[in-house]
């Protein structure tokens, strides 16, 4: 087995008294051998862009507002011992998140927010013919969430919840149904 890894990153931030705004880029390349009798090889590449912003006390009742967004482009190929491609995996993903940390309300302190994500994944077998391992699938999700805490004497109570709607849409030659999922996750 062997490993050849290259990582590079660059970031820039503007820092103010009431917060910051920053951007970053990261690139990763891995090329490594799998210690097995077949002697397979993985050739992996990933690019990621991030944006982050925080403002303290932006509005009455809000202690902080935070925004984060990211784009990731990931792929890896599985090669046989001679370097011929056997399978290829692709994943592109966008993610955005808005967080609001609020002032205490009826003795409860905490945060609420919304998160949106969209992704496209696929995996194909390579070689003599191309077979689908994971069909190209587009997914979208949006979630609302809250996490609160309240101290009463020596006790601290925590309350949280998340409501999420997610859709999955495989792009297939055969007919399969697309899916839409809704879930709620209360916590105490």
């Amino acid at each position: 087995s062997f490993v050849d890894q290259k990582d590079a990153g660059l970031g820039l931030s503007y820092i103010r008294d009431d917060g910051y705004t920053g951007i970053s880029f990261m690139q990763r390349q891995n090329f490594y051998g799998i210690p097995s009798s077949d002697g397979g090889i993985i050739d992996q590449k990933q690019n990621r862009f991030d944006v982050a912003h925080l403002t303290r006390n932006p509005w009455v009742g809000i202690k902080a507002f935070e925004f984060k967004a990211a784009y990731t482009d990931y792929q890896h190929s599985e090669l046989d011992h001679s370097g011929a491609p056997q399978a290829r995996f692709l994943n592109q993903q966008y993610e955005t998140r808005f967080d609001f940390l609020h002032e205490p309300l009826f003795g409860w302190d905490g945060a609420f927010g919304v998160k949106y994500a969209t992704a496209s994944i696929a995996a194909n077998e390579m070689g003599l013919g191309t077979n689908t391992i994971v069909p190209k699938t587009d997914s979208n999700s949006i979630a609302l969430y809250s996490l609160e805490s309240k101290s009463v004497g020596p006790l601290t109570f925590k309350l949280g919840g998340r409501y999420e709607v997610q859709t999955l849409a495989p792009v297939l030659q055969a007919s399969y149904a697309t899916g839409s999922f809704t879930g709620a996750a209360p916590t105490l």
Side-chain angles (χ1 to χ4, degrees):
S1 86
F2 61 91
V3 174
D4 182 9
Q5 180 174 330
K6 296 174 185 156
D7 294 328
L10 179 64
L12 179 66
S13 291
Y14 175 66
I15 301 173
R16 305 173 318 277
D17 289 339
D18 69 339
Y20 61 85
T21 300
I23 59 172
S24 66
F25 171 74
M26 186 271 299
Q27 183 176 64
R28 169 171 287 159
Q29 295 180 346
N30 288 321
F31 190 74
Y32 59 92
I34 300 171
S36 67
S37 60
D38 298 336
I41 300 168
I42 300 292
D43 185 6
Q44 176 189 30
K45 294 175 180 71
Q46 177 178 310
N47 293 322
R48 181 177 169 105
F49 297 91
D50 285 278
V51 176
H53 173 83
L54 174 90
T55 300
R56 291 181 199 83
N57 301 309
W59 305 287
V60 174
I62 301 296
K63 289 194 280 189
F65 165 73
E66 190 170 15
F67 166 79
K68 292 182 179 179
Y71 167 72
T72 304
D73 183 3
Y74 170 89
Q75 64 179 328
H76 86 255
S77 296
E78 296 180 358
L79 314 173
D80 67 14
H81 66 291
S82 69
Q86 300 300 303
R88 184 169 183 199
F89 296 80
L90 303 171
N91 184 3
Q92 290 184 322
Q93 181 172 344
Y94 298 90
E95 186 176 306
T96 306
R97 181 178 175 131
F98 299 90
D99 291 318
F100 301 86
L101 283 72
H102 64 78
E103 296 288 346
L105 187 62
F106 304 110
W108 290 90
D109 196 24
F112 61 92
V114 61
K115 178 181 175 184
Y116 175 75
T118 181
S120 180
I121 64 167
N124 293 305
E125 209 174 85
M126 309 298 279
L128 297 176
T130 300
N131 295 316
T132 300
I133 298 170
V134 176
K136 181 178 184 295
T137 302
D138 297 326
S139 67
N140 293 292
S141 70
I142 188 162
L144 303 173
Y145 50 87
S146 179
L147 181 61
E148 304 292 328
S149 67
K150 180 177 185 174
S151 294
V152 179
L155 300 175
T156 299
F157 297 92
K158 294 193 182 242
L159 178 66
R162 180 180 177 99
Y163 178 78
E164 182 169 355
V165 176
Q166 184 176 69
T167 59
L168 302 172
V171 179
L172 302 171
Q173 293 176 356
S175 62
Y176 289 94
T178 61
S180 179
F181 307 95
T182 302
T187 59
L188 294 175

